[in-house]
Amino acid sequence: MKISYRWLTEWVKTDLSAEQAAERFTLAGLEVDDLASVAPPLDGVVVGEIIAVEAHPDADRLRVCRVSGDSEERTIVCGAPNARIGLKAPLATLGTTLPGGLKIKPAKLRGVRSEGMLCSEPELGLGEDAAGLMELPEDAPTGKPLAAFLGLDDHVLEIDLTPNRADCLSVRGLARELAALTRGSLSVPDMPEVEALIDDHLDIELLSPEDCPRYIGRIIRDVDVHAETPLWMVEALRRSGIRSLGPIVDVTNYVLLELGQPMHAFDLARINDGIRVRRPEQGERMTLLDGREVELDEDMVLIADHQGPLALGGIMGGEGSAVGDSTRDILLESAWFNPASIIGRSRRLGLATESAHRFERGVDPQLQRLAAERATALIIEIAGGKPGPLLEANDEEFLPVNPEVQLRVDRLNRVLGADLDSETVHDILERLDMRVEADGSGVFRVIAPSARHDIEIEEDLIEEVARVYGYDRLPSRRPGGGLSIRIPGEGELPETALRHQLCARGFQEIMTWSFVSEQDLARLDLLEGAQPLANPLSRDLAILRTSLLPGLLQTAGANLRRQHDSFRLFELGECFSQGESGLVETSRLGLLMTGAIRAEHFSGKPRPVDFFDLKGEIEHLISLNQVPGEVRFEPVSMPWLHPGQAAELMMGESSIGWLGQLHPALVADLDWPQSAFVAEINTLSIRRKRLPEFSPLWRFPAVRRDLSLLVEETIPAASLVEEIRDLGGEALKNCIIFDQYQGPGVEKGFRSLSIGLIIREVSRTLRDQEVEALTAKVVEGLEKRFNAKLRG
């Protein structure tokens, strides 16, 4: 928020400079991001008056002006279209250096001597209107320094407020805060009630009181929308980053900045029968002030008449009811909207308005009447008009009431590590305009003012006392209590070790947002159980991720588009899904491989990454970390994976992850030049380690028997190995698949697998008959279950 420091000092008496005030605000938690002068130095620029204008003898677009304001009348050649007799404009006298570095000196323009320069707003750094000279009021004193006339010895404070401090989004709120911090006294401008001169009424219906429990309106007739906004108001708005748009809009913007109450003015002639505050109907549309036609969601708030929408409540007015050049009568609106009914709605429409910014954070629910009276008085002062009575519709049931909060002085001192007495605490709370009752035993019962909806619990009051007392004045003490460091047990693999292992295998770690778009999850068919955010940063970050895959794909796509075609990525992160007991958070490991496994080299051709490369990396992790339990890979079908090149990781009867090649349709949708192989594993499953156990060295030799089996190609090799281990019993120490063959001599639809059996007994040397019997048992079992036959 930007605000003029001079405007602020009109509300609170203080001897602090702008720099000192900025420091006090920052120390109290209202961080001042920037403190800037409202204008560059303008020494030598005065108020000039054109007293004569003649056509240039040698240039159609130039005029020769006689200008007073300097030590004597000067002849100045000017090309501005609005140069005319009687106009008062900034005059840069001889010797003046303008903000752009231009030094004013006598010069001849097409043969006519010019002794100075009449200036536009951009030439002085005071605005962007370069269409002509900067026009000053008729009563501006000729010859007076421009900086003194416009009050340019001022600074603009740009304050970054936290969302809970909506009460400081106005001059009134900041003045109240500065007075509390400095023990200063508020000097509130007189804002009397405006007497009604006409008795015009308009029906106001609150059809959605939970969204808008208070709506105040006032009819003002015979206003002059062409009246000129006074310079003091134009300057106040300009210094806050708002440009002048006409007297009615300027007044509503001025009251917004001064009091913190967003307001709106309707053209009364465009309102049919009355005002209705309601929710939009399904498919209802309206055209906003910016000219865009939008479809309204059913959870928005609509200000309508009996025929259709007038404005989007708390966000922006409608084009069809806006004040225009032909407007004579207006309806002034001052309402309170429930923040829960405004939050996020403007972002859905791509809007960011001052009104929405305030209503989302919470406006003072007792401010609407005062704001309506203030705006009415200013409009009548500037644009004239005849005001009617205030028209008010309320539903007290839905208006917020601040709770009574108990504050214990001993707890306050214990939390802050301070030694504040009850009198100091009582004084600080009263300076913050809080109602305080003391029971004499160091306990206060406190009710915050209506603007401070953020005071709900005792800790909020402790924070307030600490802010105003001064964080820098609190004693520095070491925190008490013992600290303990959790050391991972032997059976647990630290996450850092997992990271180092993956980096050693050529993977690069990435970190992506935990928020993704609905489109990203829908594309992968991963929307089931997804948790949307109540107040997302944007539509692209609107849902908690259910998988690490969207982030991996986004990062990989960015690299592929930059011709980086061979890389390995991994991410360790949390994923979220809705379960029967609420939101479930799980730790996952995501992997992605693409490009060549072997780079181009004279010793051999490059080989692209395949399914078994990724499978091998996972097996390496499992083996290296001695993960307990048997992990097997089973075929699976997943929408985002290639049919036939997808597997599920099983540990016992539980699934711990999946891996495979991206589906060709997904690769085409992503517009990638090549495919990739991806995997996702439950991190906790592979961080458990099997503790090492001692076993004596083998005293007796092992025997190996190799089998070549013909099996159907659809039978997974892992199923064969599992069956062989079951059949071999304790004597079978290992089972190795060392060859696979398909081609001449092997029937179509079959393959030949060569399997080595390592057989050993612990206590004796095996006899040939025992080895042959075990081998025969294995062959018989495989034939019975898989119809496998010995080749040849």
Side-chain angles (χ1 to χ4, degrees):
M1 175 187 174
K2 292 182 178 180
I3 209 72
S4 159
Y5 185 64
R6 171 173 284 190
W7 191 3
L8 187 61
T9 56
E10 293 174 6
W11 275 73
V12 60
K13 295 181 179 178
T14 177
D15 295 328
L16 297 180
S17 65
E19 291 80 5
Q20 292 170 328
E23 183 179 5
R24 293 299 294 272
F25 278 134
T26 299
L27 291 175
L30 308 180
E31 185 178 357
V32 178
D33 283 345
D34 189 30
L35 178 67
S37 297
V38 299
L42 296 176
D43 298 335
V45 181
V46 298
V47 176
E49 181 179 2
I50 301 177
I51 58 176
V53 178
E54 297 177 0
H56 193 286
D58 197 26
D60 294 338
R61 295 187 178 182
L62 297 180
R63 300 178 184 180
V64 180
C65 304
R66 293 291 295 171
V67 181
S68 63
D70 201 353
S71 56
E72 59 182 84
E73 289 186 5
R74 301 287 184 182
T75 298
I76 296 176
V77 178
C78 175
N82 61 336
R84 61 186 184 274
I85 296 175
L87 175 69
K88 292 189 176 180
L91 168 63
T93 57
L94 295 175
T96 299
T97 301
L98 294 179
L102 175 64
K103 187 170 183 178
I104 305 302
K105 52 188 178 182
K108 280 193 174 183
L109 298 177
R110 292 288 187 96
V112 177
R113 180 180 173 85
S114 182
E115 303 173 318
M117 179 177 173
L118 292 169
C119 304
S120 64
E121 290 179 1
E123 290 164 338
L124 300 175
L126 296 179
E128 300 177 356
D129 185 2
L133 300 177
M134 179 179 177
E135 298 193 13
L136 300 176
E138 294 180 359
D139 59 354
T142 303
K144 185 171 184 175
L146 186 69
F149 173 66
L150 295 180
L152 299 181
D153 54 339
D154 187 13
H155 291 79
V156 171
L157 301 170
E158 186 172 352
I159 304 178
D160 185 13
L161 296 171
T162 53
N164 65 313
R165 292 310 306 272
D167 62 296
C168 289
L169 284 169
S170 64
V171 174
R172 179 183 186 229
L174 289 172
R176 193 165 44 207
E177 187 76 8
L178 187 59
L181 295 173
T182 62
R183 297 180 182 273
S185 59
L186 283 175
S187 179
V188 180
D190 188 26
M191 301 182 189
E193 294 184 4
V194 177
E195 181 182 358
L197 300 181
I198 58 176
D199 192 29
D200 289 9
H201 290 74
L202 193 70
D203 289 337
I204 299 173
E205 297 178 71
L206 302 181
L207 302 181
S208 183
E210 65 275 12
D211 298 321
C212 176
R214 171 166 289 156
Y215 190 99
I216 293 176
R218 170 173 264 158
I219 293 173
I220 306 177
R221 294 194 179 274
D222 298 330
V223 295
D224 180 8
V225 295
H226 301 288
E228 185 176 351
T229 304
L231 184 63
W232 59 267
M233 182 176 286
V234 173
E235 274 296 297
L237 296 175
R238 182 186 71 82
R239 295 175 196 188
S240 297
I242 299 176
R243 62 190 180 94
S244 175
L245 296 172
I248 308 302
V249 177
D250 289 350
V251 166
T252 58
N253 284 334
Y254 184 85
V255 173
L256 176 140
L257 294 171
E258 184 181 47
L259 301 180
Q261 172 65 49
M263 301 188 70
H264 187 65
F266 299 98
D267 186 334
L268 184 63
R270 301 184 182 187
I271 299 176
N272 294 286
D273 299 326
I275 293 292
R276 287 177 171 171
V277 183
R278 59 175 175 85
R279 292 284 183 96
E281 298 172 359
Q282 185 175 5
E284 193 164 12
R285 305 179 69 87
M286 72 172 294
T287 302
L288 299 173
L289 278 174
D290 60 3
R292 288 194 302 148
E293 184 181 9
V294 296
E295 183 172 337
L296 307 176
D297 295 337
E298 293 181 35
D299 62 347
M300 294 178 174
V301 186
L302 192 63
I303 311 300
D305 59 15
H306 288 230
Q307 292 189 3
L310 299 175
L312 192 54
I315 298 177
M316 182 179 283
E319 186 178 62
S321 60
V323 173
D325 291 341
S326 61
T327 300
R328 292 294 300 163
D329 307 320
I330 64 171
L331 173 68
L332 201 59
E333 171 195 277
S334 180
W336 187 85
F337 295 100
N338 188 340
S341 302
I342 306 299
I343 289 174
R345 276 59 166 186
S346 60
R347 278 189 289 277
R348 289 185 209 164
L349 302 174
L351 297 172
T353 65
E354 292 287 342
S355 294
H357 183 72
R358 285 162 174 79
F359 280 126
E360 285 181 339
R361 287 155 176 77
V363 171
D364 184 351
Q366 303 300 323
L367 184 60
Q368 290 69 48
R369 178 178 282 269
L370 176 65
E373 297 286 8
R374 176 63 165 164
T376 301
L378 290 171
I379 288 173
I380 293 171
E381 177 185 337
I382 298 169
K386 300 173 183 177
L390 284 183
L391 311 173
E392 187 168 355
N394 291 310
D395 192 326
E396 298 289 342
E397 178 186 353
F398 296 102
L399 283 171
V401 177
N402 284 344
E404 182 179 273
V405 182
Q406 179 178 278
L407 175 63
R408 296 162 290 175
V409 176
D410 59 344
R411 172 163 170 73
L412 179 145
N413 285 321
R414 190 164 62 251
V415 171
L416 298 181
D419 189 21
L420 303 181
D421 56 45
S422 296
E423 289 75 15
T424 302
V425 175
H426 191 282
D427 175 59
I428 289 174
L429 294 174
E430 286 194 331
R431 281 153 55 192
L432 289 168
D433 201 22
M434 298 187 182
R435 286 164 46 196
V436 184
E437 291 183 11
D439 65 358
S441 61
V443 178
F444 297 108
R445 291 187 299 277
V446 183
I447 299 178
S450 56
R452 294 300 305 273
H453 59 86
D454 58 316
I455 306 298
E456 297 179 337
I457 57 177
E458 187 174 29
E459 285 72 15
D460 295 329
L461 291 173
I462 293 174
E463 179 188 3
E464 290 302 297
V465 172
R467 285 192 321 103
V468 176
Y469 181 76
Y471 291 123
D472 54 328
R473 296 174 61 192
L474 294 174
S476 299
R477 296 179 181 175
R478 293 179 179 176
L483 300 176
S484 61
I485 300 175
R486 182 183 177 276
I487 301 175
E490 287 185 271
E492 180 183 351
L493 179 72
E495 200 171 89
T496 52
L498 193 59
R499 285 188 166 93
H500 292 158
Q501 291 169 7
L502 288 163
C503 290
R505 300 289 294 181
F507 285 86
Q508 292 179 298
E509 184 174 11
I510 64 171
M511 295 180 69
T512 62
W513 284 96
S514 296
F515 312 136
V516 295
S517 70
E518 182 177 351
Q519 180 185 357
D520 288 339
L521 293 179
R523 170 190 285 165
L524 301 170
D525 200 19
L526 289 169
L527 262 177
E528 184 178 355
Q531 173 62 51
L533 299 177
N535 187 22
L537 296 172
S538 70
R539 289 190 176 186
D540 292 336
L541 302 170
I543 298 179
L544 286 171
R545 65 186 177 191
T546 58
S547 168
L548 300 177
L549 186 56
L552 287 167
L553 297 183
Q554 185 177 12
T555 304
N559 281 275
L560 290 171
R561 286 190 292 274
R562 289 161 178 79
Q563 298 182 329
H564 184 196
D565 54 9
S566 292
F567 51 86
R568 302 179 175 196
L569 304 176
F570 81 92
E571 180 173 12
L572 283 163
E574 306 301 311
C575 294
F576 311 85
S577 62
Q578 282 289 352
E580 293 181 359
S581 58
L583 192 65
V584 179
E585 181 177 345
T586 56
S587 297
R588 304 274 184 87
L589 166 65
L591 303 173
L592 184 145
M593 298 174 65
T594 189
I597 196 71
R598 172 190 170 125
E600 189 174 3
H601 194 263
F602 68 86
S603 61
K605 294 181 179 180
R607 180 176 72 80
V609 172
D610 61 24
F611 174 86
F612 296 101
D613 292 316
L614 179 58
K615 180 173 178 283
E617 293 296 340
I618 295 173
E619 289 175 329
H620 173 80
L621 271 182
I622 292 171
S623 173
L624 181 65
N625 296 318
Q626 301 180 23
V627 175
E630 188 71 27
V631 177
R632 62 187 189 278
F633 299 82
E634 295 186 356
V636 72
S637 176
M638 292 183 171
W640 59 91
L641 294 180
H642 192 301
Q645 294 210 42
E648 188 173 23
L649 274 73
M650 301 296 295
M651 182 178 286
E653 298 301 318
S654 301
S655 172
I656 64 168
W658 51 263
L659 73 154
Q661 182 181 1
L662 290 177
H663 198 290
L666 176 60
V667 175
D669 186 45
L670 294 170
D671 196 24
W672 284 9
Q674 63 196 50
S675 188
F677 294 84
V678 292
E680 188 170 286
I681 307 170
N682 187 319
T683 309
L684 297 180
S685 299
I686 61 171
R687 286 183 58 193
R688 294 197 301 270
K689 295 179 62 176
R690 184 173 59 247
L691 294 178
E693 296 180 1
F694 172 77
S695 60
L697 296 175
W698 302 112
R699 295 177 55 198
F700 300 96
V703 178
R704 173 167 175 157
R705 289 289 185 270
D706 292 342
L707 305 175
S708 289
L709 301 169
L710 283 173
V711 296
E712 294 180 14
E713 62 181 2
T714 57
I715 297 174
S719 299
L720 290 171
V721 172
E722 184 180 4
E723 182 68 13
I724 291 172
R725 291 186 186 279
D726 290 341
L727 293 167
E730 293 185 2
L732 183 65
K733 300 305 179 186
N734 202 359
C735 175
I736 306 166
I737 298 177
F738 61 88
D739 190 30
Q740 174 182 257
Y741 173 72
Q742 285 179 294
V746 175
E747 186 180 347
K748 187 176 181 181
F750 286 78
R751 58 179 172 172
S752 172
L753 292 178
S754 298
I755 304 174
L757 309 180
I758 311 298
I759 306 169
R760 187 200 304 267
E761 274 289 352
V762 178
S763 57
R764 60 188 176 83
T765 301
L766 288 168
R767 293 176 300 185
D768 287 344
Q769 296 91 329
E770 293 174 306
V771 173
E772 296 302 331
L774 190 147
T775 304
K777 179 183 177 182
V778 168
V779 171
E780 183 180 346
L782 293 177
E783 182 176 5
K784 185 176 180 181
R785 180 174 174 186
F786 300 108
N787 197 27
K789 300 190 181 297
L790 281 174
R791 187 179 174 194

